[in-house]
Structures are given as structure tokens and as C-alpha cells.
Amino acid sequence: MKSGYTSLYATRVLGDRVTSYSEFQSLRIPQPIKDYHTRISKERDDSNYMISTFESQALVFLARAIGAKRVLEIGVYVGYSAMIWSHAVGPQGKVTGLECNEEYAKLAQETWKDQGYENIDVHVGPAAETLTKLADISEPYDIIFIDADKTGYSGYLRQILEMSAPGAKNRLLRPGGIIAADNTLRQGLVVDTTPDNPWRPADFDNPESFQAIAVAAINEYNDLAGDNDRLETFLVPLWDGLHLSRLVD
Ligand SMILES: C[S@@+](CC[C@H](N)C(=O)[O-])C[C@H]1O[C@@H](n2cnc3c(N)ncnc32)[C@H](O)[C@@H]1O
């Protein structure tokens, strides 16, 4: 029997080449959105917040594969991935973003306006609070993308499940809808915190360190999603880990 081991990333160079080839053979992201990614990457120190263009291709594919028309994004930053979702669902679809940082939200809104993406809204404020205000939505979401504070992930998942009770009116996520949580392998630190992992920060032993707290929070999220009868999950070992959960009921 074959093991789950993938031979495609045996060296960094091979991994990069295989990734470039896969990007090339995958669906196209519109050039203006790619240009925005490139510009933000050049201009901003915090640009590593954005998902990669390769991950974006996968998300567009996923959204189209399930016929998604409504996407909720938790963690907008300067609006890159929201444009990806907007492109995926098309002008008749709807994207709702939750972002706590006013400056980011303003930049995102300016960009969407400039680029002609009219179907994206952003709610500014802590996502856990904003989520409760979405309780009276008219139509459930097809996809919820979690890409914000890692310590919030488990709470967001609990809220989503509570607000999507089977048979309830105004549920947040439809039956069969997808929750996609980003950074859920956290540079491999969720499984390997030994010095064998080159991404292990020097202060990782300090339980108060940023990365130790984030990794503990992600571990909690992965367990919560993976061990839930209402969810079928697949944790994709690509990018920084993308935990996909399909709401069964
Ligand atoms: C990784 S970035 C999002 C990147 C974006 N999804 C993209 O790929 O273009 C995470 C964002 O979550 C926001 N954030 C962090 N904590 C939050 C909270 N409690 N509520 C809402 N947004 C939050 C941050 O301000 C930041 O803009």
C-alpha cells in the first residue's frame, strides 16, 4: 500500500518548480488582482498576511465547484482575498468581510471601489461581536473563510456551528457549506516543535510567546473541527495549512 508521503517536495528547489508548474496549469486569477498582490507585497511590511496567488487559485476552484454565491471572510486585511472571493462568486454573488482594523478596512474599500468590485462589504470591529449581529441574515453563506487572529479560531467555529443549527431559520452557513480555516499547520509547528523544525522560533518554549500561543490555539481549532460529528474535514498540507470542513447538517 502506498503511504501518504508526497515525493514532490523532497527539496526546496523541486517543491518550488512543482508549485510553479501547478500554478501555471491551474485556473487564472485576473491580472488586476494579481497586480494588487504584487504591489502590496512590495510596499507593505505586513504583506505576508495575504494568502498566496496559488492558494487563491484553489479557493476560486473550491467556490466554483460548490456553486458558492455567498462568502463570509473573517480577516480582510487590505482586501486582497475578498477580491478573490468576489471574482469566484461573480457579480451576482456577495462577499461579507469582518475586519477589526479601521485603516485596513478603509484601504480595502478604496481598492474594491477602484477595481470595480461592488459586491463586497466590510464590517469593522471584533469579528466575534460582528458575527452575533449577522444572526438575522436573509440567506446563509456557502463558504466561511477564517483568516484572522489565531486565538479566535475555535470561538469562531463554535459561533458558526451555533448559528447554523439544523432546521433553524436564518442560519449562518448552509448545509453542505464549507468552513475554510487558513494557517492551520502553522509552519508545521502544530506537529513538530522540536529543533528539527527550522521554523521553530527561539522563544517557543516560553508559553507566553506569540507563536506558542498561536500554535496552541490552532491545535485546539484542528481538534475541535476534526472531532465534530457535524463536520467532515480535510486538512490540506499546502501553503500554511488549509483546514476544510464541510457542514454536514
Ligand atoms: C491574515 S490577515 C487577513 C488576510 C486576508 N484574508 C488576505 O489574504 O488578503 C488577518 C486579518 O485579521 C484581522 N483581525 C485580527 N483579529 C481580528 C478580530 N478579532 N476581528 C476581526 N479581524 C481581526 C487583522 O487585522 C488582519 O487584517
Side-chain angles (χ1 to χ4, degrees):
M1 192 165 67
K2 279 190 180 166
S3 80
Y5 178 76
T6 170
S7 52
L8 299 174
Y9 301 94
T11 66
R12 176 69 195 250
V13 171
L14 180 61
D16 285 350
R17 287 181 183 156
V18 165
T19 301
S20 298
Y21 179 76
S22 297
E23 279 188 67
F24 176 73
Q25 296 292 3
S26 300
L27 57 78
R28 300 282 178 259
I29 299 297
Q31 195 59 43
I33 307 186
K34 283 175 83 170
D35 291 346
Y36 185 60
H37 195 279
T38 306
R39 179 162 73 76
I40 294 298
S41 302
K42 275 193 198 135
E43 289 178 0
R44 297 190 62 109
D45 291 341
D46 52 8
S47 65
N48 65 339
Y49 277 180
M50 289 183 295
I51 56 168
S52 67
T53 47
F54 186 33
E55 183 172 353
S56 306
Q57 289 170 295
L59 296 182
V60 173
F61 184 89
L62 172 74
R64 300 238 170 112
I66 67 157
K69 284 289 160 212
R70 290 172 56 85
V71 176
L72 175 65
E73 172 172 278
I74 305 178
V76 171
Y77 181 47
V78 294
Y80 167 74
S81 55
M83 281 195 287
I84 290 294
W85 292 119
S86 173
H87 165 67
V89 300
Q92 307 309 320
K94 172 88 199 147
V95 179
T96 308
L98 311 186
E99 172 55 56
C100 66
N101 182 308
E102 263 181 60
E103 186 210 330
Y104 291 160
K106 192 163 168 277
L107 255 166
Q109 282 171 308
E110 285 167 6
T111 304
W112 302 331
K113 193 163 178 248
D114 287 351
Q115 303 239 7
Y117 287 95
E118 292 175 356
N119 61 348
I120 319 173
D121 275 344
V122 61
H123 297 256
V124 181
E129 276 174 39
T130 315
L131 270 174
T132 61
K133 296 181 195 147
L134 297 179
D136 57 355
I137 55 162
S138 54
E139 252 187 276
Y141 290 98
D142 302 299
I143 294 180
I144 301 179
F145 182 48
I146 306 179
D147 187 22
D149 50 327
K150 307 311 160 203
T151 50
Y153 274 36
S154 295
Y156 300 142
L157 181 58
R158 288 194 188 92
Q159 276 182 288
I160 293 164
L161 292 173
E162 252 171 53
M163 292 173 74
S164 310
K169 257 180 65 188
N170 303 334
R171 49 187 291 164
L172 192 68
L173 183 66
R174 72 158 161 88
I178 303 281
I179 303 162
D182 204 21
N183 310 111
T184 37
L185 289 173
R186 199 78 187 173
Q187 298 168 304
L189 289 164
V190 297
V191 285
D192 185 354
T193 59
T194 70
D196 286 346
N197 184 340
W199 303 112
R200 180 189 193 277
D203 65 350
F204 193 80
D205 282 336
N206 176 0
E208 303 298 313
S209 70
F210 175 76
Q211 199 63 303
I213 291 172
V215 169
I218 290 295
N219 264 317
E220 186 190 333
Y221 177 88
N222 287 337
D223 289 346
L224 194 65
D227 189 27
N228 192 306
D229 291 343
R230 297 183 61 200
L231 301 173
E232 265 179 7
T233 57
F234 187 76
L235 179 40
V236 183
L238 281 173
W239 313 298
D240 196 26
L242 179 69
H243 202 154
L244 299 174
S245 301
R246 190 176 73 88
L247 182 58
V248 175
D249 56 14

